[in-house]
């Protein structure tokens, strides 16, 4: 873009205001040319316009530790304009300084990033053999350290590419927009054994209600779920039977009318710890509550239940959510 300015002002008639207007106009033209030049220089690194890719990364906190993941990404091909004649390596690095330049040129407000927040996949190295025009591995960015980043925020991550042997890159600059979310890993009750006479209801409090209106089962199994995927490792979740005071409080809170506590002597926790595999949400096994000495129970409605507690024998023990979704109330009718 260029400008031509026509003027014809005799020196004797050049007033202070006129001179000031001329200076401002000159500075505006110069600035526009500079910005245009910068924009053209930035865009010239592409075959066509500006290109960006959307990704998603998570910072997951568990027992005082933070884990960084990038589960959602776009693998971008690293290409050359023409095949290389010898072995070459393309190096890709995150360039945090370009965020400010991008914001200035394209009138955006992307937050600044530190040099250690993101890194390029495959350690930023992409190999080319003679005759290659495209690298075998794809390029994307990974969240490396999200401790200084904000939750639910989109970050612009510029990546610059260069050739060790001077290969002619098709793209020497990529922009990735990465949505970063942060949160604690927690566990809650997912579901329970179903069958004839057994129904499941999610109460307004978030707790799971398991109604056994048919033949009373010997045991009830309950599965656990996480509030988000955790790729780093298998995790453990522990549950325990509600105390008598907790059952009494639940009867009042949830308005379980004509319902009596199941005595401690009539329940047993047959399996109290389950495992949720890495990259999964649901436990591969189930919490199991057994009902014993049933002959001692009189006819009527009874209530017991479980709640999740933190498993402390591993750094991968997941704590419960901070609401009643970590509870399950088991209600059954004993018919004499």
């Amino acid at each position: 873009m260029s400008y031509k300015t026509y003027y014809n002002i005799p020196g004797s008639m050049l007033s202070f205001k006129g001179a000031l207007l001329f200076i401002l106009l000159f500075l505006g033209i110069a600035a526009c040319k500079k910005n245009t030049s910068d924009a053209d220089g930035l865009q010239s690194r592409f075959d066509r316009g500006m290109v960006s890719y959307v990704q998603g990364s998570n910072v997951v906190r568990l027992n005082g530790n933070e884990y960084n993941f990038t589960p959602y990404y776009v693998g971008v091909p690293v290409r050359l304009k023409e095949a290389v004649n010898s072995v070459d390596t393309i190096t890709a690095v995150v360039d945090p300084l370009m965020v400010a330049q991008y914001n200035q040129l394209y009138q955006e407000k992307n937050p600044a990033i530190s040099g250690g927040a993101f890194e390029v996949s495959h350690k930023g190295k992409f190999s080319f053999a003679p005759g290659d025009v495209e690298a075998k591995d794809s390029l994307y960015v990974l969240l490396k350290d999200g401790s200084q980043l904000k939750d639910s925020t989109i970050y612009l991550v510029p990546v610059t590419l260069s050739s060790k042997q001077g290969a002619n890159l098709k793209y020497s600059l990529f922009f990735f927009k990465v949505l970063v979310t942060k949160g604690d890993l927690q566990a809650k009750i997912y579901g329970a054994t179903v069958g004839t006479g057994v129904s499941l209801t999610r109460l307004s409090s978030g707790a799971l209600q398991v109604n056994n209106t048919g033949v009373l089962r010997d045991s009830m199994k309950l599965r656990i779920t996480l509030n988000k995927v955790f790729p780093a490792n298998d995790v453990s979740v522990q549950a325990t039977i509600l105390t008598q005071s907790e059952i009494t409080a639940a009867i009042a809170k949830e308005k379980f009318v004509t319902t009596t506590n199941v005595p401690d002597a009539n329940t047993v926790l047959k399996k109290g710890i389950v495992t949720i595999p890495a990259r999964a949400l649901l436990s591969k096994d189930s919490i199991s509550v057994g009902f014993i000495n049933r002959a001692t129970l009189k006819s009527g409605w009874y209530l017991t239940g479980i709640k999740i507690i933190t498993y402390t024998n591993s750094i991968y023990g997941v704590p419960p959510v901070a609401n009643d979704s970590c509870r399950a109330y088991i209600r059954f009718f004993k018919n004499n």
Side-chain angles (χ1 to χ4, degrees), residues 226 229-230 233-235 275-285:
L226 300 177
V229 172
F230 188 70
N233 201 82
D234 293 355
V235 298
T275 299
I276 300 178
R279 300 182 181 276
L281 284 173
L282 286 175
S283 58
K284 65 180 182 181
D285 44 3

Side-chain angles (χ1 to χ4, degrees), residues 271-325:
K271 183 176 178 60
I273 300 173
V274 297
T275 299
I276 300 178
R279 300 182 181 276
L281 284 173
L282 286 175
S283 58
K284 65 180 182 181
D285 44 3
S286 301
I287 301 294
S288 179
V289 180
F291 304 105
I292 58 177
N293 304 321
R294 289 177 293 176
T296 63
L297 296 176
K298 297 179 181 180
S299 177
W301 283 101
Y302 287 89
L303 183 76
T304 187
I306 66 166
K307 67 176 181 180
I308 297 172
I309 59 175
T310 303
Y311 179 63
T312 58
N313 289 337
S314 168
I315 61 171
Y316 299 113
V318 181
V321 295
N323 56 56
D324 283 355
S325 296

Side-chain angles (χ1 to χ4, degrees), residues 81-274:
K81 289 185 176 180
E82 55 189 20
V84 293
N85 296 321
S86 60
V87 174
D88 199 352
T89 299
I90 302 301
T91 300
V93 296
V94 174
D95 189 352
L97 296 179
M98 293 201 70
V99 175
Q101 185 179 2
Y102 184 102
N103 287 342
Q104 182 181 8
L105 294 177
Y106 298 99
Q107 301 301 302
E108 293 189 15
K109 296 181 179 180
N110 298 287
I113 58 174
S114 66
F118 297 92
E119 62 183 352
V120 180
S121 60
H122 308 291
K123 298 182 179 180
K125 303 295 183 182
F126 301 90
S127 300
F128 284 78
D132 287 348
V133 293
E134 182 176 319
K136 179 180 67 175
D137 297 321
S138 296
L139 184 152
Y140 49 94
V141 296
L142 297 165
L143 181 61
K144 183 179 180 182
D145 180 6
S147 59
Q148 303 303 312
L149 304 181
K150 295 181 180 179
D151 178 35
S152 301
T153 301
I154 296 175
Y155 288 90
L156 179 74
V157 184
V159 174
T160 60
L161 288 75
S162 60
S163 167
K164 185 177 180 180
Q165 301 296 332
N168 193 0
L169 284 159
K170 187 171 185 180
Y171 300 105
S172 62
L173 176 62
F174 291 103
F175 290 100
F176 295 85
K177 290 200 171 182
V178 184
L179 172 62
V180 175
T181 58
K182 306 178 75 171
D184 298 323
L185 188 68
Q186 298 173 326
K188 56 186 177 180
I189 304 293
Y190 173 76
T193 301
V194 294
T196 303
V198 178
S199 62
L200 307 179
T201 304
R202 186 66 68 174
L203 301 173
S204 59
S205 64
L208 181 71
Q209 177 183 339
V210 184
N211 280 326
N212 185 180
T213 57
V215 177
L216 180 58
R217 295 169 176 266
D218 291 332
S219 63
M220 192 70 66
K221 292 183 177 180
L222 300 105
R223 293 188 73 186
I224 308 297
T225 186
L226 300 177
N227 63 339
K228 58 190 65 184
V229 172
F230 188 70
N233 201 82
D234 293 355
V235 298
S236 299
V237 179
Q238 184 176 4
T240 186
I241 295 177
L242 297 176
T243 65
Q244 290 298 310
S245 60
E246 289 173 325
I247 298 171
T248 299
I251 290 174
K253 178 181 179 180
E254 305 294 352
K255 296 180 173 58
F256 293 127
V257 296
T258 63
T259 301
T260 303
N261 297 26
V262 178
D264 292 337
N266 294 104
T267 58
V268 61
L269 191 61
K270 301 174 70 174
K271 183 176 178 60
I273 300 173
V274 297

